[in-house]
């Protein structure tokens, strides 16, 4: 009997981890549901995992007239460390980028009212980013996408035909969307160049204290 219960729980939890997480659903209640339903949860999880990405807002600006620079996509999650790292990287692109796209990925888990609130926060975050960019960079396009972070960023990168993706290596920001595992996922899956922004290790960079 114990073995049956363990197999039942393992099947539900593994299914939740593989399919539901792959669909970008971050609510931990999915694991509770998976554990309770066990094998019955499999078709539900497969359906949720196939949801794919959905672009809910697109504000496009034309590329710079020369069109000879890099087309760059920046994935923004709103965490302070990630933002500082990404801004430092983006500043180095001043004068070399002909097109800039700022992208935030929100969760597909939320009901309409919650989704609207998260999308509103994402828009505000991207607008603040756009307002703080150096004048040497082209005015950015902005996109808000619903889905799994890596899939959403890859979908926008494909549709925009960018040359470079810039994301934070870690950090937990807007709904904990851009985690280190997502950055690594992009680095392995993207056919385009991926630049992982990260802050220096404070412990390693600080001078030793006098004994």
């Amino acid at each position: 009997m114990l073995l049956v219960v363990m197999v039942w729980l393992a099947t539900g939890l593994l299914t939740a981890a593989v399919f539901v997480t792959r669909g970008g659903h971050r609510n931990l209640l999915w694991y509770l549901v998976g554990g309770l339903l066990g094998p019955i949860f499999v078709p539900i999880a497969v359906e949720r995992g196939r949801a794919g990405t959905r672009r809910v807002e697109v504000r496009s600006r034309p590329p710079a007239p020369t069109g000879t620079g890099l087309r760059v996509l920046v994935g923004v999650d709103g965490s302070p460390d990630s933002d500082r790292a990404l801004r430092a990287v983006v500043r180095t692109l001043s004068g070399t980028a002909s097109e800039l796209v700022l992208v935030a990925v929100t969760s597909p888990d939320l009901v309409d009212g919650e989704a609207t609130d998260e999308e509103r926060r994402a828009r505000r975050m991207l607008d603040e980013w756009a307002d703080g960019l150096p004048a040497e960079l082209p005015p950015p396009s902005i996109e808000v996408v619903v889905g799994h972070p890596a899939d959403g960023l890859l979908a926008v990168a494909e549709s925009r035909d960018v040359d470079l993706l810039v994301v934070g290596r870690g950090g937990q920001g807007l709904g904990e969307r851009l985690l280190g595992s997502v950055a690594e996922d992009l680095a392995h899956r993207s056919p385009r160049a991926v630049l992982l922004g990260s802050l220096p290790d404070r412990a390693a960079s600080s001078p030793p204290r006098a004994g």
Side-chain angles (χ1 to χ4, degrees), residues 8-22:
W8 183 278
L9 287 171
T11 300
L13 292 174
L14 182 61
T15 301
V18 173
F19 291 101
V20 176
T21 303
R22 181 68 264 171

Side-chain angles (χ1 to χ4, degrees), residues 17 25 37 48 106-107 119 126 128 135 148 181 200:
H25 305 277
L37 296 182
R48 299 302 295 181
T106 63
S107 172
E119 289 160 15
L126 293 177
E128 290 172 354
H148 185 274
S181 59

